[in-house]
Structure formats: structure tokens, C-alpha cells
Amino acid sequence: LIDSQRAAELLNLSLVEIDVKHAVTRTKTRFGVVVGWIQLDHQDNRSREPVVLAPTPAEHVQPTLQFLALKDNLRTKTNIVSYEYVGVALQEMDFTVEESW
């Protein structure tokens, strides 16, 4: 995110270890996305809390975001799409906002 008035970078988003998979068979279509780490950093040098959003530290680290959709190609028709499974998992995250920038 950039403030065009002063041309200063305000926030920086980092996505690490991104894995996207897509597979199609006669009966199923599978689509999945995994993001290992998501972090949003405040770019102001005067900031007391430079990390705005990041996964909460955990003993057993899991990917931050996981998405999986499994489409049933046999039941899907012209005007109806049939999904056998759609799932989203987002790990607990810490969100920190300063009152003034």
C-alpha cells in the first residue's frame, strides 16, 4: 500500500511457501492452495509495532492458510456445479494496530 500524497510505502504484505495444485480426472476436479506464512508489516520507521499481522507463535507450526475444493464432475451439469468438499483453514493470527501513525 502506498500513500500517493507523499509517495511513501505504508504496508508490505509477504506470502511465503505458496503451493497451488490443480488436478482433473473424469470424475473429480481438485483445486488446492496452501500459504505457509502470511505477514503484513508497517513500513514507518517510527512505528512501535512493525508487524501488523502475522501467525500466532505455536508449538506445532502449520501452514497459515489452506484451501481445498473437490468438484464432482459426474454430478455437475450445464447450470449446476456440484462440489463434494470445500474447505478453508486459517491459523490463529496476531493483529496489531497503533492508534496513530
Side-chain angles (χ1 to χ4, degrees):
L1 180 63
I2 296 178
D3 179 356
S4 61
Q5 194 69 270
R6 296 179 290 157
E9 185 177 17
L10 301 177
L11 298 170
N12 182 43
L13 177 65
S14 299
L15 304 173
V16 180
E17 297 177 13
I18 299 170
D19 185 28
V20 178
K21 293 184 179 179
H22 183 257
V24 179
T25 66
R26 187 181 69 75
T27 59
K28 306 282 185 211
T29 298
R30 179 183 175 119
F31 177 72
V33 177
V34 175
V35 180
W37 188 267
I38 298 172
Q39 184 167 322
L40 184 63
D41 296 323
H42 196 277
Q43 297 300 297
D44 187 353
N45 292 334
R46 298 168 288 156
S47 175
R48 290 181 300 153
E49 299 289 338
V51 178
V52 176
L53 180 70
T56 301
E59 187 175 331
H60 302 287
V61 178
Q62 297 289 321
T64 304
L65 175 66
Q66 299 178 65
F67 171 80
L68 176 63
L70 186 59
K71 184 174 102 174
D72 186 336
N73 294 337
L74 298 178
R75 297 182 77 188
T76 295
K77 304 299 178 205
T78 303
N79 58 350
I80 298 175
V81 178
S82 176
Y83 285 91
E84 187 174 306
Y85 177 82
V86 176
V88 177
L90 178 64
Q91 297 302 317
E92 183 177 344
M93 303 199 58
D94 291 334
F95 181 61
T96 307
V97 178
E98 292 184 31
E99 287 187 27
S100 64
W101 287 16

